[in-house]
Amino acid sequence: MGNAIRLLYRKCCSPTTDDNPHGVSALSRDIFSFETTSQVPEGLGSYVVSSKKAQANWYGKILEAWKQAKPRPQTDEEAARLVVATLKGHKKADVEGLLTFYRLLSPGKLDEVANESPVSVSEGLKFELHTLPVDQKSVADGDTVTVYVSSTDPIVSSTLPKEVSLAAAKRAKARENKNYTEADALHKKIIASGYRMINVQNKEVLAKKFRIRLRGIDAPESKMPFGKESHDELLKMVEGKSLKVLVYAEDRYGRCVGDIYCNGKFVQEVMLKKGLAWHYLAYDKRAELAKWENEAKQKRIGLWAAKNPEKPWEWRKNKRDGN
């Protein structure tokens, strides 16, 4: 009986081959296939240098790490980070080959993921967010972005209102019964509570909304010179990506003030070096921010191409004063 079950499982849930879909879903399928069959995917050997015995050892480790992860990886970036952390100490060529096989990470990006760390983790860090992929409409300007975090994340699950959880369950049932009018009404109730159902890889995820104000920089307003360029650069960096956000405070507009990391890049660093934001010295004294701003000034790039660009905080004050 056991052999028959294994044979059926292999036919229905065979591991990924080089022609099959990739990403977090394929990796998840393969590691749980490995739990039953002890088989690693065909074709993986073309991407890595170690033996099949070593490959089986990796899948065993990844399987255990996956089971223990709370929440489990939901995006390609989260899966890549779990693999890198789990296989720390293994040959770089093997780890990068495994990630490339699943198209979780482009070659050459492994060091950025493995070595990613905050530039300066200051005292006062409140909490850390790991977001779902960012939508195109989520970037307001060069220093503000709206993100969503899954309700399975401990930061969100610990404060998830019962009425929102209940509305999400009722909405799923309504959609199952093709009662889309009721489902839409329930979604509006969920949205009004600061949550939303987000489609992630053809699966709906209940997520909480957070507005993030990038800590330590001030970008040109949309109607200022380089306002559009600043917005577009931030959008280009984060669209479709999952972000890590270190939150330090909440501003008077209810936004979380934090540092954002995207695919190993410190977002504020990129904005300053490209001359698309000012160092907001009045609120952040970090020396590295001043250094990156000065580098852009010396190169006269971005907004620093102008002789004396107007500062956004002065521009806003003039608007408030009616000038």
Side-chain angles (χ1 to χ4, degrees):
M1 176 66 72
N3 289 336
I5 292 173
R6 288 189 180 90
L7 180 61
L8 179 62
Y9 190 95
R10 286 171 189 162
K11 288 183 177 180
C12 296
C13 303
S14 58
T16 299
T17 67
D18 200 30
D19 297 321
N20 283 347
H22 295 71
V24 62
S25 59
L27 176 60
S28 175
R29 180 185 64 192
D30 286 355
I31 60 175
F32 286 102
S33 170
F34 175 82
E35 183 177 32
T36 303
T37 66
S38 299
Q39 289 186 352
V40 298
E42 292 295 329
L44 178 61
S46 301
Y47 290 79
V48 300
V49 297
S50 292
S51 66
K52 278 208 169 185
K53 183 177 179 181
Q55 295 169 29
N57 176 261
W58 309 338
Y59 275 77
K61 289 182 177 180
I62 295 170
L63 174 63
E64 289 308 309
W66 199 281
K67 286 181 175 180
Q68 293 174 19
K70 296 186 184 301
R72 291 180 180 178
Q74 295 183 358
T75 67
D76 288 358
E77 184 178 349
E78 289 172 357
R81 295 191 188 288
L82 182 140
V83 169
V84 170
T86 304
L87 300 185
K88 188 175 182 180
H90 289 260
K91 293 178 182 178
K92 179 179 177 181
D94 283 331
V95 181
E96 190 167 56
L98 180 62
L99 294 172
T100 302
F101 177 69
Y102 286 104
R103 298 176 191 165
L104 292 173
L105 193 68
S106 58
K109 292 290 185 181
L110 179 59
D111 286 334
E112 289 184 4
V113 172
N115 299 325
E116 179 186 328
S117 60
V119 175
S120 294
V121 179
S122 311
E123 290 185 11
L125 177 64
K126 303 295 184 185
F127 53 88
E128 180 175 320
L129 298 173
H130 292 269
T131 78
L132 296 174
V134 175
D135 181 76
Q136 182 183 19
K137 298 178 181 178
S138 295
V139 175
D141 51 37
D143 56 34
T144 306
V145 58
T146 297
V147 301
Y148 286 88
V149 177
S150 170
S151 60
T152 60
D153 187 293
I155 292 292
V156 177
S157 62
S158 61
T159 58
L160 179 64
K162 288 183 179 180
E163 60 268 23
V164 172
S165 180
L166 182 61
K170 287 182 176 179
R171 179 177 182 273
K173 190 68 176 177
R175 286 172 60 84
E176 184 181 328
N177 294 332
K178 298 184 179 180
N179 187 345
Y180 299 117
T181 301
E182 182 183 356
D184 289 345
L186 287 164
H187 197 205
K188 288 179 181 178
K189 181 179 178 180
I190 291 169
I191 292 171
S193 299
Y195 294 78
R196 182 180 287 270
M197 301 303 300
I198 305 291
N199 188 288
V200 180
Q201 297 180 344
N202 297 320
K203 179 182 177 181
E204 285 208 324
V205 176
L206 175 62
K208 184 176 181 179
K209 177 181 178 180
F210 293 86
R211 292 179 65 222
I212 309 298
R213 175 65 166 81
L214 275 68
R215 176 173 171 246
I217 69 171
D218 199 1
E221 299 293 334
S222 58
K223 294 183 179 180
M224 293 178 65
F226 282 92
K228 182 179 185 302
E229 289 84 348
S230 180
H231 166 275
D232 291 351
E233 179 63 31
L234 180 58
L235 178 61
K236 184 175 74 174
M237 266 194 289
V238 304
E239 183 183 2
K241 308 292 196 313
S242 297
L243 310 177
K244 180 171 82 173
V245 186
L246 304 182
V247 177
Y248 288 86
E250 182 177 300
D251 68 12
R252 58 180 174 170
Y253 303 108
R255 300 175 298 187
C256 293
V257 180
D259 290 339
I260 296 183
Y261 295 85
C262 178
N263 283 356
K265 294 180 180 179
F266 180 38
V267 172
Q268 286 97 306
E269 177 182 356
V270 175
M271 299 299 288
L272 288 168
K273 283 185 172 181
K274 292 195 173 185
L276 295 173
W278 276 259
H279 173 202
Y280 213 169
L281 185 60
Y283 294 94
D284 196 313
K285 310 296 184 186
R286 284 180 288 180
E288 56 266 39
L289 301 186
K291 173 178 173 289
W292 296 326
E293 181 186 65
N294 285 330
E295 287 177 7
K297 281 183 181 179
Q298 291 171 7
K299 294 177 182 177
R300 301 188 68 82
I301 59 176
L303 60 91
W304 302 111
K307 191 172 183 178
N308 187 28
E310 185 178 12
K311 300 175 179 64
W313 53 89
E314 293 179 352
W315 186 89
R316 290 191 294 266
K317 184 178 183 301
N318 288 333
K319 289 295 179 183
R320 288 194 299 269
D321 294 343
N323 298 329

